[in-house]
């Protein structure tokens, strides 16, 4: 209890109308996370934009209710920018998100994508992620609707091969399709943790359109796909340039990532489209 009080003094609950600037968020991350400068900058700006969007939408609603015609040009829907974190195992993806949630004092739910299954099959369905977030927000729906959900090991639910599977992949591609609407924004009914969904059950309705979803994974094998696209394949002949083969296991090539590489890895195009912000973490060096 004393620790919680100290945390509230050190990091007061997030007021979206008094958002700290991205460089201040990054400065606070610097106190806890060594290295990963580029990733911290991307995440700080992404989180700032996310909560700035919520504040702008609230002001827009107030202007509509007050009939302020001067500000009706704000009648523009801004789509939220969920994030994808790429980096080798042990580079600090989960720790970075945990630190961010602690700094902003927003509820956080961390789940493993490998534990999820498509709705209708044995296992946790995707709504269980939101129920975990609601529990961490102490059943405060308003706080939960401004929280952060971190889905780890997202690369483990990639479909096998580029072609669409003719059989049901209920723990892989099926989970990606089930996550689409929740990540984009929908109103879902959440059952209490541990309870199975049954008809006429008391459930809580939560709007996910203001929840920030961050997906993370090691994406082992992705550098090989990027190198195959970017490096010179060489040609045949006496005067043909000799192509130097690059290391296909190095994560350095992730800086050249494009959406087609993620699709080739096995993420469905619609899922990639809902994760527009990509943060790349480097492997830890000796100094870090």
């Amino acid at each position: 209890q004393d620790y919680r009080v100290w945390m509230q003094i050190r990091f007061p609950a997030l007021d979206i109308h008094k958002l700290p600037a991205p460089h201040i968020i990054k400065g606070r991350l610097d106190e806890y996370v060594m290295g990963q400068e580029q990733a911290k900058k991307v995440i700080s700006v992404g989180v700032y934009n996310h909560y700035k969007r919520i504040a702008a939408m609230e002001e827009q609603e107030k202007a509509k209710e007050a009939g302020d015609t001067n500000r009706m040009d704000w009648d523009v829907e801004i789509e939220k920018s969920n994030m994808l974190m790429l980096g080798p195992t042990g580079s600090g993806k989960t720790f970075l998100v945990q630190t961010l949630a602690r700094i902003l004092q927003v509820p956080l739910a961390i789940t493993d994508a490998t534990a999820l299954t498509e709705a209708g099959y044995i296992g946790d369905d995707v709504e269980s992620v939101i129920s975990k977030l609601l529990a961490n927000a102490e059943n405060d729906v308003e706080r939960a609707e401004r929280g952060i959900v971190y889905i780890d090991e997202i690369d483990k639910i990639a479909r096998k091969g580029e072609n669409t599977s003719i059989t049901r992949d209920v723990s892989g591609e099926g989970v990606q399709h089930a996550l689409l609407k929740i990540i984009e924004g929908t109103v879902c009914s959440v059952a209490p943790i541990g309870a199975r969904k049954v008809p006429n059950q008391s459930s809580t309705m939560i709007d996910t359109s203001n929840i920030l979803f961050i997906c993370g994974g090691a994406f082992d094998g992705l550098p090989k796909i990027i190198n195959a696209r970017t490096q010179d394949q060489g040609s045949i002949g006496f005067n043909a340039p000799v192509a130097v083969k690059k290391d296909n296991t190095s994560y350095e090539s992730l800086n050249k990532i494009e959406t087609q590489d993620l699709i080739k890895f096995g993420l469905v195009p619609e899922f990639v489209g809902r994760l527009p912000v990509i943060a790349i973490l480097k492997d830890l060096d000796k100094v870090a």
Side-chain angles (χ1 to χ4, degrees), residues 231-250:
Q231 73 183 15
D232 186 13
Q233 301 299 322
S235 54
I236 297 171
F238 287 107
N239 295 322
V242 178
V244 179
K245 212 170 185 184
K246 294 181 182 176
D247 180 14
N248 283 335
T249 59
S250 173

Side-chain angles (χ1 to χ4, degrees), residues 176-277:
Q176 291 187 53
H177 288 297
L179 283 168
L180 288 178
K181 203 64 197 168
I182 281 190
I183 285 182
E184 185 183 22
T186 187
V187 178
C188 63
S189 61
V190 172
I193 284 186
R196 293 187 64 182
K197 277 194 174 180
V198 291
N200 304 321
Q201 183 189 40
S202 62
S203 57
T204 310
M205 305 303 288
I206 291 188
D207 186 1
T208 66
S209 55
N210 290 335
I211 295 174
L212 178 63
F213 286 86
I214 303 175
C215 300
F219 285 85
D220 188 31
L222 187 58
K224 187 177 179 180
I225 293 170
I226 297 169
N227 288 336
R229 175 177 58 80
T230 56
Q231 73 183 15
D232 186 13
Q233 301 299 322
S235 54
I236 297 171
F238 287 107
N239 295 322
V242 178
V244 179
K245 212 170 185 184
K246 294 181 182 176
D247 180 14
N248 283 335
T249 59
S250 173
Y251 278 83
E252 290 297 319
S253 55
L254 284 181
N255 294 317
K256 300 175 184 174
I257 192 168
E258 292 183 4
T259 50
Q260 66 198 61
D261 301 320
L262 291 168
I263 294 166
K264 197 163 186 177
F265 184 85
L267 298 185
V268 295
E270 302 93 328
F271 190 72
V272 176
R274 283 165 173 79
L275 300 167
V277 180

Side-chain angles (χ1 to χ4, degrees), residues 14 16 47 50-55 57-58 80 82 105-109 129-149 182-190 203-213:
L14 179 68
I16 59 169
V47 167
H50 173 76
Y51 287 107
K52 197 74 176 172
R53 163 188 169 271
I54 298 173
M57 287 173 70
E58 283 188 4
K80 67 171 174 171
N82 299 304
Q105 282 294 290
V106 292
L108 169 71
V129 181
I130 309 300
S131 65
K132 195 182 285 186
L133 181 67
L134 182 62
N136 292 344
E138 298 172 349
N139 292 319
D140 185 339
V141 175
E142 192 176 340
R143 275 195 74 214
E145 287 181 347
R146 291 182 182 175
I148 298 173
V149 171
I182 281 190
I183 285 182
E184 185 183 22
T186 187
V187 178
C188 63
S189 61
V190 172
S203 57
T204 310
M205 305 303 288
I206 291 188
D207 186 1
T208 66
S209 55
N210 290 335
I211 295 174
L212 178 63
F213 286 86

